[in-house]
Structures are given as structure tokens and as C-alpha cells.
Amino acid sequence: MKKKLEDTKGLWPELLPEVLWAYHTMPKTSTGETPYSLVYGTDAIIPVKVGDPSLRYSHESGLRNDESRRQELDEAKEQRDMAYIRMVAQKQQTERYYNKKTKIRPLKVGDYMLKAKT
């Protein structure tokens, strides 16, 4: 994202919406979900796909579309919970990796240490 903006030099204001759209619609490694789907409970549709109706959207009627949207919103809470579980698992994995490399040294009487002034 940064490289794309740096390459355009003075044209970054025109490219910023595209870059932000890409950021919001790409799955993050910590949650496995896109920020957009976690907030709105559904995947984002690229604007080009909205203008060109696909078979997926052409067969949806108003009533059926409303029902599927309600179902997606009901599943959004579960999706957020699963993303939270994946995020916590990744943090625990990172913590285990970090702790594996550290050496624990217990303090004894007579050890020197820094003292903060209060």
C-alpha cells in the first residue's frame, strides 16, 4: 500500500480511495476476516461488479434478498466471535514464540537493578 502511494508521487489523493478500499476488503492474518465483513456482516462487492449484474444477484428477489440479508446479519455475531478467537490464538502463538527465546533469571538479594524516581 505504501509502495503504491510512493510510486505515484503527487497523484496519491486520486489513488487513496482505491488503496483504502483494498485495505478494507482484504482479509487480515490476525482475524482471517476483512474489516468490512466484521463491521457490516457481509462481504464487500467491488463497484465494477455492482454495475454488471451477475447470475448471483440477478436471481435474487426483494423478499428473498431481505431474508438472506437478515440471515447474514444473524451470522455476523458468530463471525466476529470466530475472528476474535483466531486473533487471540495468533497472539498466544506470538507470545509463545517470544517467550521461547527469552531467558528467565530470578532476582536474588544483592542483584543490581534500576530504580525509577517517583
Side-chain angles (χ1 to χ4, degrees):
M1 189 160 69
K2 183 179 178 184
K3 179 154 178 45
K4 185 171 183 170
L5 288 176
E6 286 176 352
D7 290 344
T8 58
K9 307 247 183 217
L11 299 175
W12 68 268
E14 288 81 24
L15 280 179
L16 189 60
E18 295 173 21
V19 172
L20 290 176
W21 179 263
Y23 176 78
H24 290 304
T25 57
M26 290 183 62
K28 304 299 172 230
T29 55
S30 60
T31 60
E33 300 289 338
T34 66
Y36 190 93
S37 67
L38 290 175
V39 172
Y40 297 107
T42 184
D43 289 329
I45 302 170
I46 298 173
V48 173
K49 290 184 179 178
V50 172
D52 185 22
S54 65
L55 195 58
R56 176 180 166 190
Y57 295 102
S58 62
H59 289 292
E60 293 290 327
S61 64
L63 187 58
R64 187 170 173 213
N65 189 27
D66 292 342
E67 181 59 35
S68 65
R69 181 68 181 140
R70 278 191 210 95
Q71 184 178 2
E72 286 176 356
L73 290 174
D74 290 341
E75 293 170 356
K77 175 77 171 133
E78 182 180 333
Q79 184 181 16
R80 288 184 193 112
D81 291 342
M82 293 302 295
Y84 178 75
I85 290 169
R86 282 191 296 270
M87 183 179 68
V88 169
Q90 184 188 24
K91 286 182 180 181
Q92 289 173 345
Q93 182 181 11
T94 304
E95 181 181 7
R96 280 193 303 271
Y97 177 77
Y98 175 78
N99 289 339
K100 187 169 51 173
K101 292 182 156 199
T102 59
K103 293 180 182 178
I104 298 174
R105 291 188 306 169
L107 295 175
K108 296 177 275 186
V109 176
D111 287 347
Y112 290 106
M113 53 190 316
L114 293 174
K115 183 178 178 183
K117 289 186 177 182
T118 55

